[in-house]
Amino acid sequence: MGSPEFDDLQVIDLLPCVSFAGIERMVSATPPAQYVVKIQSYSSLSKNSVGKYESGVFQAGGYKWKLVLYPNGNKSKNVKDHVSLYLSMVETSSLPSGWEVHALVRFFLRDQDKDNYLIIQDAMREEWHFHGMKLECGFDQFIPLKTLNDAQNGYLMDDTCVFGAEVSVTKEKSTGQGENLLMIKGAISQKHVWKVDNFWKLDKEFYDSKVFMAGNYKWKIRLYPNGKGSGLEGFVSLYLVSADTDTLPPGTKVFAGFSLRVMDQLQGNNVTGNANHWFSASDQQQGWGKFISHISLRHLYGYLTNDACLVEAEVTVLGVLNAL
């Protein structure tokens, strides 16, 4: 197969084909040939403090890539009032010493009203150079937030937007790939309480609670009575575990906010840990190696009553990533 032929383009009436900060903007009826990222409940990215989103890995020209999106601008580069979008080269460790890859790159933003695509690329249509010291290229000011949020432009409709990319490196072209990120509005948290009896008699490496549901996904609490990792000997380690990652479709990730607590059964002075995490088949648990010390359990009244402790999990599923 030959290299991707870039389709015929129209110049946008309101955004003429001229350089603005090194950017050329055009319109095409043809969708991106290689990768699409559809984001639903787009505003929830900001509400849930997701300042940076990295897409799944896709192939083009014999190499592997991902899109890196900053919904409110790349703060490390002091970008304001714009979306920042970059192409990043990944899994390069197997490439020979001194490697360098040149690529023609086009980014896409779908106009859902007119059913076409805004194409944004280097104004001079020059190749971008990727190498060991420069794995990422793109636009700090991809599109103004005001332009994105203006409903008349059609880029953000029903709080959903669609980004895409085409990368032309060699004469080989990969098959189309894509993903769908659904950020959940008004996500509801679910609590589960687990009573652990005969605590000082526990002799296994870890114990799991019963499986419970939160956000239509299965979860369980995992307790290491004698610690795990940094908490070995002298601490209790506590983790939230995704209980159905083995059955999820390939590429699926679940973004959850959660709290784990060892309850103070007398005064309510609970020990609590809070975190956000992307759970997947390859990353099934998240928590703390040093959640509570054995000294606290022995000498502070309330955490153990009649040699039993109460552990609570509160889980909120904030987003789900699936392959298209």
Side-chain angles (χ1 to χ4, degrees), residues 119-247:
I119 294 179
I120 299 179
Q121 62 187 15
D122 183 271
M124 303 303 294
R125 302 195 184 186
E126 294 182 351
E127 296 175 341
W128 289 350
H129 297 180
F130 297 84
H131 48 77
M133 297 296 291
K134 187 180 181 182
L135 296 175
E136 189 172 277
C137 294
F139 299 112
D140 298 330
Q141 297 181 345
F142 175 70
I143 190 168
L145 290 175
K146 184 177 181 180
T147 301
L148 178 70
N149 292 322
D150 188 340
Q152 294 183 357
N153 293 324
Y155 302 134
L156 186 63
M157 297 186 66
D158 297 325
D159 207 15
T160 297
C161 59
V162 181
F163 297 89
E166 284 185 351
V167 185
S168 180
V169 176
T170 69
K171 294 183 179 180
E172 294 296 319
K173 180 181 177 182
S174 66
T175 57
Q177 304 166 71
E179 68 184 32
N180 179 47
L181 172 63
L182 171 62
M183 297 303 295
I184 299 172
K185 286 184 176 180
I188 299 174
S189 63
Q190 300 288 338
K191 291 183 179 181
H192 177 77
V193 177
W194 176 28
K195 183 179 181 181
V196 183
D197 291 311
N198 302 312
F199 183 86
W200 294 117
K201 296 179 181 179
L202 300 178
D203 56 3
K204 295 181 181 179
E205 180 187 3
F206 65 84
Y207 293 81
D208 288 343
S209 72
K210 292 182 179 179
V211 172
F212 62 95
M213 299 295 296
N216 295 321
Y217 293 91
K218 297 177 182 178
W219 308 90
K220 58 187 177 183
I221 307 167
R222 179 164 293 172
L223 180 146
Y224 293 78
N226 291 304
K228 176 181 184 292
S230 62
L232 275 175
E233 302 300 331
F235 286 87
V236 174
S237 300
L238 205 57
Y239 293 83
L240 178 69
V241 180
S242 173
D244 56 3
T245 48
D246 291 339
T247 61

Side-chain angles (χ1 to χ4, degrees), residues 12 43 60 66 94 96 102 126 159 207 223 232 246 248 253 256 270 278 315:
I12 302 176
S43 61
K66 65 181 177 183
S94 61
H102 297 185
E126 294 182 351
D159 207 15
Y207 293 81
L223 180 146
L232 275 175
D246 291 339
L248 292 177
K253 297 181 181 180
N270 306 325
W278 286 98
V315 182

Side-chain angles (χ1 to χ4, degrees), residues 67-109:
L67 292 176
V68 181
L69 172 74
Y70 295 82
N72 290 299
N74 188 347
K75 303 305 180 186
S76 67
K77 296 188 176 181
N78 297 317
V79 179
K80 298 179 180 179
D81 303 322
H82 286 76
V83 174
S84 300
L85 186 63
Y86 307 92
L87 178 70
S88 180
M89 197 170 180
V90 298
E91 299 182 28
T92 59
S93 59
S94 61
L95 298 179
S97 177
W99 64 270
E100 184 170 318
V101 174
H102 297 185
L104 289 170
V105 180
R106 300 197 304 178
F107 291 134
F108 290 68
L109 181 59

